[in-house]
C-alpha cells in the first residue's frame, strides 16, 4: 500500500504539485496520465524521493515520512523509503560501463552486499524474466532501446522493491520496440507487481493499468478504475484528454 | 664522433641514476598526491559548502596564475624566512603536488560534471548512497573521459621536474648540468638528457593509450585510430 497525503512540491515560486492525495493498492498497476507539464514525473520522483516534497506525507508499506518546508529529511529516512521503490526511466539510464548482468547485479552487490555468485544467479533469473538472458554479457551501448529498457526493468526489480515506478517507459521507443517493453510490463502486472507509471501511451495504459489517475496542473482531476475512466470519464476535462490520446493512438504514435 | 659516443656512454649511468632516484619518484609521488588534492578540490567545488569552495577556487587561482619556478623558489628559498625550512626534495614534492592538484582539480571537476545527472539518479534509485554512486557509477565514467587531459598533466610534470634543478634537487637535468661543468660538452649532454625525458614521456603516452582502450572498452564513443 502506497499512500500520498497532500503532497506538495514547489520549485522556487512554481508550485508543481498542489496537494496530491492518492492511494495505490498492493498488487495493482496505476497509470498516471495527463498533459505535458502536469507533474507526472515530479509525482513519481516524489515517491522515490529523487525530489523531496515541500509538504505532505508519504507512506510506502510500513514506512512513513512527513515533509515540512525547509526541513530536509535525514538521509537515512530518505533511504528507508527509497529502498521500497524501484525506478524505470524514460531514457533507460543503464550504467554504460557495466554489462547487462552487472547492471542488474549492482544494487544487490553494492547496496545489499550480496555475495557475487548469488547476485549473479538472481540477476540472470531476472534477465530471463525480461527475455534478455541471451544478452547478459553485452554492453548497454550494443543493445537496442527496447533491450536496454528491459534490462533497466530487471535492474529496478533486483532489490525486490515494493513498488516499481516507471516514467514513460516506452516513450523513447518506436512502436515495435515499445511493444516488447509493454509485454514485459504486462507480464509483471499479471504476476502482481505493484506499479505506478506515468505514460502517454494508451496501449500501455489500457493493456496493463488497473487504475488510472488523471493529473493536470499539479492536481488530481479524476481517479478511478481504468475501465471506468477510459470508457465513462466523469469530468469533461478527462473526456477531452482521453479523446486526444485515442486520436494519437489511431495515428500510431505516442507523444 | 666516437668521442661523443663514449661521452654519452660514460655519462649515461649517472643520468639514468638521477632519473631513477629523483626524477621518476618525484614525478610519481607528486602526481599521485596531486591527483588526490585535485579530486578533493573538485569534489569540494562541486558538492562542498560554499565557503570551502571559495577557498579551493582561491588556491587554483594562485597556483595557475603564478609561474611554477617562482612557486618552487618561494617554498625552498622563501619559506625559511618565515621559519619553515624544508629539504630540497620535500620542497619540490610540495610544489609539484600543489601544481598538479590545481590543474587536475579543474579536469576532474569537468569530467565529473560531464556524467549525466540521470546516472546519479539511476544509482540512487537502486539504493546507493552518495559515496557508492560516486565510486561505482560516476568516477568510472568520468575516468574514461579524464585520461587524455590527465595524461597531459602527467607528461608535463615529467618535464617540469627539471625545474627542481633550480632548487638543488640532483635530478636528471641537474646531473647533466654537472657533467657539462666538467666536460664542457653541453650539446651532447643536453641532447642526451632530452632523449631520456622523451623516453619517459613516450612510456606515459603508451600507458595512456592502453588505459584509454581499457576504460573505453564498453563503447559508445569515438576512439583515436592509433
Ligand atoms: N527541477 C525542476 N526545477 C524547476 N521546475 C521543474 C523541475 N522539474 C520539473 N519542473 C517543472 O514542473 C512542471 C511539471 O513537470 P513534470 O516533468 O513533472 O511534468 P510531466 O507531467 O511529467 O510532463 P511530461 O508529460 O512532459 O513528462 C513543469 O512545469 C516543469 O517545468
Ligand atoms: Mg514527465
Amino acid at each position: 500500500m502506497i499512500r500520498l497525503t497532500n503532497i506538495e512540491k514547489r520549485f522556487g515560486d512554481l508550485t508543481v504539485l498542489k496537494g496530491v492525495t492518492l492511494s495505490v493498492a498492493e498488487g495493482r498497476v496505476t497509470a498516471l496520465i495527463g498533459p505535458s507539464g502536469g507533474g507526472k514525473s515530479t509525482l513519481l520522483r516524489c515517491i522515490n524521493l529523487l525530489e523531496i516534497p515541500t509538504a505532505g506525507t508519504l507512506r510506502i508499506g510500513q514506512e512513513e515520512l512527513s515533509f515540512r518546508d525547509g526541513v530536509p529529511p535525514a538521509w537515512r529516512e530518505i533511504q528507508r523509503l527509497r529502498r521500497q521503490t524501484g525506478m524505470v526511466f524514460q531514457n533507460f539510464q543503464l550504467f554504460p560501463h557495466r554489462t547487462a548482468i552487472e547492471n542488474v547485479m549492482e544494487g544487490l552487490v553494492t547496496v545489499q552486499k550480496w555475495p557475487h555468485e548469488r547476485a549473479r544467479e538472481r540477476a540472470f533469473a531476472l534477465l530471463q524474466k525480461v527475455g534478455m538472458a541471451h544478452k547478459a554479457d553485452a554492453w548497454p551501448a550494443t543493445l537496442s532501446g527496447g533491450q536496454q529498457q528491459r534490462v533497466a526493468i530487471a535492474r529496478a526489480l533486483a532489490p525486490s522493491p515494493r513498488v516499481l515506478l516507471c516514467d514513460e517507459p516506452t516513450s523513447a521507443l518506436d512502436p515495435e520496440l515499445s511493444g516488447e517493453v509493454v509485454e514485459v510490463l504486462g507480464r509483471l502486472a499479471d504476476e502482481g507487481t505493484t506499479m505506478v507509471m506515468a505514460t502517454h501511451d494508451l496501449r500501455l495504459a489500457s493493456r496493463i493499468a488497473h487504475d488510472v489517475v488523471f493529473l493536470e496542473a499539479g492536481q488530481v482531476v479524476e481517479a478511478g478504475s481504468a475501465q471506468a475512466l477510459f470508457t465513462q470519464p466523469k469530468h469533461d476535462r478527462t473526456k477531452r484528454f482521453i479523446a486526444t490520446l485515442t486520436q494519437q493512438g489511431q495515428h500510431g504514435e505516442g507523444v | 664522433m666516437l668521442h661523443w659516443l663514449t661521452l654519452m656512454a660514460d655519462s649515461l649511468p649517472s643520468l639514468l641514476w638521477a632519473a631513477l632516484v629523483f626524477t621518476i619518484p618525484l614525478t610519481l609521488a607528486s602526481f599521485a598526491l596531486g591527483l588526490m588534492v585535485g579530486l578533493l578540490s573538485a569534489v569540494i567545488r562541486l558538492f562542498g559548502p560554499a565557503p570551502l569552495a571559495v577557498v579551493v577556487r582561491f588556491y587554483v587561482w594562485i597556483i595557475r596564475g603564478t609561474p611554477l619556478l617562482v612557486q618552487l623558489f618561494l617554498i625552498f628559498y622563501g619559506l625559511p624566512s618565515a621559519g619553515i625550512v624544508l629539504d630540497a626534495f620535500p620542497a619540490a614534492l610540495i610544489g609539484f603536488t600543489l601544481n598538479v592538484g590545481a590543474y587536475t582539480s579543474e579536469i576532474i571537476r569537468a569530467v565529473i560534471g560531464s556524467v549525466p545527472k540521470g546516472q546519479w539518479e539511476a544509482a540512487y534509485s537502486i539504493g546507493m548512497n552518495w559515496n557508492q554512486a560516486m565510486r561505482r557509477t560516476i568516477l568510472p565514467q568520468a575516468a574514461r573521459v579524464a585520461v587524455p587531459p590527465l595524461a597531459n598533466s602527467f607528461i608535463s610534470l615529467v618535464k617540469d621536474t627539471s625545474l627542481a634543478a633550480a632548487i638543488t634537487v640532483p635530478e636528471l637535468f641537474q646531473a647533466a648540468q654537472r657533467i657539462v661543468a666538467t666536460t664542457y660538452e653541453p650539446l651532447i649532454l643536453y641532447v642526451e638528457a632530452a632523449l631520456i625525458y622523451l623516453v619517459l614521456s613516450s612510456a606515459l603516452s603508451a600507458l595512456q593509450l592502453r588505459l584509454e582502450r581499457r576504460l573505453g572498452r564498453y563503447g559508445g564513443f569515438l576512439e583515436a585510430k592509433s
Side-chain angles (χ1 to χ4, degrees):
Chain A
M1 175 74 150
I2 301 171
R3 188 156 44 225
L4 284 70
T5 316
N6 276 319
I7 290 291
E8 201 182 293
K9 177 63 188 176
R10 283 198 298 268
F11 292 107
D13 289 338
L14 182 70
T15 306
V16 174
L17 297 176
K18 299 168 183 161
V20 172
T21 298
L22 63 89
S23 298
V24 175
E26 205 100 352
R28 288 179 77 85
V29 178
T30 303
L32 292 174
I33 62 167
S36 217
K40 300 181 296 297
S41 298
T42 307
L43 187 61
L44 285 177
R45 295 160 60 82
C46 279
I47 297 177
N48 71 353
L49 302 181
L50 286 180
E51 302 289 357
I52 303 299
T54 315
T57 303
L58 170 64
R59 184 185 184 87
I60 308 177
Q62 305 310 309
E63 311 289 349
E64 190 175 281
L65 191 55
S66 289
F67 306 94
R68 271 186 305 141
D69 200 1
V71 190
W75 177 253
R76 292 175 45 121
E77 300 288 293
I78 293 177
Q79 290 286 78
R80 190 163 59 83
L81 266 95
R82 187 178 283 154
R83 286 189 179 161
Q84 312 292 314
T85 70
M87 180 113 173
V88 175
F89 299 88
Q90 181 172 1
N91 48 4
F92 330 132
Q93 295 293 354
L94 288 181
F95 305 129
H97 58 303
R98 305 205 181 278
T99 60
I101 196 164
E102 286 169 352
N103 264 273
V104 183
M105 292 164 63
E106 185 67 14
L108 299 172
V109 172
T110 303
V111 180
Q112 307 199 356
K113 312 288 181 207
W114 281 33
H116 202 82
E117 272 318 303
R118 213 173 120 224
R120 198 169 185 87
E121 271 167 35
R122 171 156 172 80
F124 194 77
L126 283 163
L127 285 178
Q128 274 176 324
K129 189 172 204 163
V130 299
M132 286 299 296
H134 63 297
K135 291 284 190 182
D137 295 316
W139 299 111
T142 66
L143 300 177
S144 76
Q147 294 176 324
Q148 290 187 53
Q149 192 63 302
R150 286 187 281 151
V151 174
I153 291 169
R155 176 180 69 179
L157 290 173
S160 306
R162 196 175 271 271
V163 55
L164 185 65
L165 308 170
C166 308
D167 193 359
E168 304 197 27
T170 58
S171 67
L173 305 171
D174 68 34
E176 193 181 326
L177 291 183
S178 81
E180 60 188 55
V181 171
V182 171
E183 195 211 303
V184 165
L185 291 173
R187 221 170 328 123
L188 292 174
D190 296 342
E191 288 170 13
T193 312
T194 311
M195 287 189 248
V196 182
M197 61 176 67
T199 184
H200 292 281
D201 183 344
L202 200 63
R203 177 168 55 158
L204 177 63
S206 57
R207 157 84 171 79
I208 71 172
H210 304 111
D211 303 303
V212 176
V213 174
F214 177 49
L215 194 68
E216 183 174 48
Q219 281 171 317
V220 177
V221 175
E222 190 169 346
S225 76
Q227 167 79 16
L229 208 122
F230 281 138
T231 56
Q232 43 211 199
K234 287 201 199 69
H235 290 72
D236 251 13
R237 189 60 200 102
T238 319
K239 209 174 289 177
R240 267 180 289 144
F241 182 75
I242 288 169
T244 61
L245 277 190
T246 317
Q247 264 169 15
Q248 281 156 4
Q250 277 163 356
H251 293 123
E253 52 193 40
V255 175
Chain B
M1 186 68 195
L2 187 64
H3 162 68
W4 283 6
L5 283 180
T6 32
L7 188 62
M8 265 200 176
D10 289 347
S11 53
L12 192 60
S14 39
L15 293 192
L16 285 182
W17 179 251
L20 201 68
V21 177
F22 291 100
T23 301
I24 294 175
L26 186 58
T27 304
L28 292 180
S30 49
F31 193 71
L33 293 172
L35 215 49
M36 284 187 240
V37 173
L39 179 61
L40 190 67
S41 305
V43 167
I44 289 173
R45 288 230 15 221
L46 285 170
F47 306 100
L52 259 183
V54 170
V55 172
V56 169
R57 251 182 75 183
F58 180 77
Y59 151 66
V60 173
W61 176 63
I62 293 288
I63 299 291
R64 287 202 308 187
T66 56
L68 177 50
L69 188 58
V70 175
Q71 293 163 16
L72 292 174
F73 270 53
L74 260 173
I75 294 169
F76 185 65
Y77 295 116
L79 285 187
S81 315
I84 304 170
V85 182
L86 292 165
D87 282 341
F89 191 87
L93 183 62
I94 291 172
F96 289 120
T97 296
L98 289 176
N99 215 263
V100 170
Y103 282 95
T104 56
S105 86
E106 292 291 286
I107 296 171
I108 295 171
R109 183 169 66 85
V111 297
I112 288 177
S114 75
V115 178
K117 221 176 129 216
Q119 287 289 305
W120 284 97
E121 297 185 340
Y124 286 149
S125 78
I126 57 170
M128 288 195 203
N129 58 30
W130 188 90
N131 260 311
Q132 293 165 331
M134 189 67 162
R135 208 162 32 81
R136 304 270 313 171
T137 303
I138 306 303
L139 281 183
Q141 294 182 61
R144 198 202 66 83
V145 195
V147 169
L150 287 181
N152 269 356
S153 294
F154 204 171
I155 289 170
S156 294
L157 176 65
V158 180
K159 299 173 295 170
D160 286 348
T161 53
S162 59
L163 291 173
I167 58 167
T168 77
V169 178
E171 48 67 68
L172 170 54
F173 179 59
Q174 208 199 54
Q177 281 180 309
R178 258 198 255 139
I179 299 172
V180 169
T182 56
T183 60
Y184 307 106
E185 290 282 2
L187 177 62
I188 200 68
L189 272 146
Y190 292 143
V191 165
E192 193 179 358
L195 286 175
I196 296 176
Y197 281 113
L198 191 59
V199 168
L200 292 178
S201 1
S202 306
L204 290 179
S205 295
L207 193 70
Q208 168 189 356
L209 207 61
R210 283 187 51 179
L211 205 57
E212 274 181 46
R213 295 250 157 86
R214 172 156 174 75
L215 292 176
R217 76 206 141 115
Y218 55 86
F221 310 93
L222 281 181
E223 261 182 50
K225 291 249 193 272
S226 116

